[in-house]
Amino acid sequence: MTLINAKNIWKVYDNEGTKTEALQGVSIDIKKGEFVAIMGPSGSGKSTLLHILGLLDNHTNGTYHFSGKDIGTYNQEEIAKIRNEKVGFVFQAFNLLPHETVLENVKLPLIYSKKPESEWNKLAEDAIISVGLGHRMNHQAVQLSGGEKQRVAIARALVNSPEVIFADEPTGNLDSKSGQAVI
């Protein structure tokens, strides 16, 4: 089953009349269960494409179908629901709340889920343990190394058991052994 079908995707940024083409006619099909890496030099549009596919940004032209439905037919509320229930993100900059604990950071996506609050701690703890950080669960994010922050971001992406995870350089701050374990 095709999960993502994007055809001829363009993204043009308009900054006070100056147009910058970040993506020019990108097409990609991703089936459920596939592991896909998007590679290219810095500035080639990889992060822009991830943000569009992950429903964080809109494309300028082209068509994008997620789970068989044209994204253009969704309203903002439906897009937010899909992002929360079906998509996990691992951002290059982590986007952790620095003075919250690892546990609280990982629980954040659950706030908007339909999962009962009584299950949140268990779900978050399981995700944290899965990335090897059970011993840091009650530490604040500001107290963690770069690699540990990366693993917290990965646990947060996993906590809702999404259909797809978009990761922008998910192993960039990890040593090779930790990177292999995360993959």
Side-chain angles (χ1 to χ4, degrees):
M1 175 186 159
T2 299
L3 183 62
I4 290 172
N5 174 263
K7 288 196 186 309
N8 199 30
I9 298 293
W10 286 71
K11 178 62 179 182
V12 179
Y13 292 102
D14 188 346
N15 186 9
E16 297 178 13
T18 302
K19 295 186 186 295
T20 304
E21 292 178 340
L23 296 175
Q24 301 172 3
V26 175
S27 295
I28 189 168
D29 283 316
I30 302 173
K31 291 181 179 28
K32 199 168 190 167
E34 277 189 309
F35 186 96
V36 176
I38 298 171
M39 299 168 45
S42 181
S44 64
K46 300 180 302 291
S47 294
T48 299
L49 181 59
L50 286 180
H51 287 149
I52 290 169
L53 296 179
L55 306 173
L56 293 173
D57 197 1
N58 297 316
H59 55 288
T60 309
N61 290 308
T63 59
Y64 177 26
H65 289 80
F66 186 92
S67 288
K69 188 170 178 188
D70 185 347
I71 290 302
T73 65
Y74 289 110
N75 64 38
Q76 289 304 310
E77 187 177 309
E78 290 170 316
I79 288 174
K81 182 178 177 183
I82 291 169
R83 266 195 312 257
N84 183 258
E85 295 176 1
K86 298 181 182 235
V87 176
F89 297 94
V90 181
F91 296 100
Q92 200 170 7
F94 316 128
N95 294 344
L96 301 179
L97 300 176
H99 298 290
E100 293 295 333
T101 65
V102 168
L103 183 65
E104 293 301 317
N105 269 285
V106 173
K107 283 180 9 182
L108 279 174
L110 296 170
I111 293 170
Y112 301 101
S113 75
K114 292 180 181 174
K115 294 181 171 83
E117 191 171 352
S118 61
E119 296 177 13
W120 292 1
N121 278 347
K122 173 80 169 106
L123 291 167
E125 289 167 2
D126 289 348
I128 293 164
I129 290 167
S130 77
V131 297
L133 284 178
H135 65 291
R136 301 289 262 164
M137 202 167 306
N138 295 310
H139 286 74
Q140 290 182 333
V142 73
Q143 298 171 312
L144 305 176
S145 71
E148 289 172 326
K149 289 177 183 175
Q150 187 73 49
R151 289 189 278 159
V152 172
I154 292 165
R156 185 182 56 204
L158 295 171
V159 76
N160 266 334
S161 300
E163 288 184 34
V164 63
I165 295 177
F166 293 102
D168 197 352
E169 299 190 28
T171 60
N173 292 293
L174 303 176
D175 59 76
S176 59
K177 183 179 177 184
S178 296
Q180 278 302 109
V182 163
I183 295 299

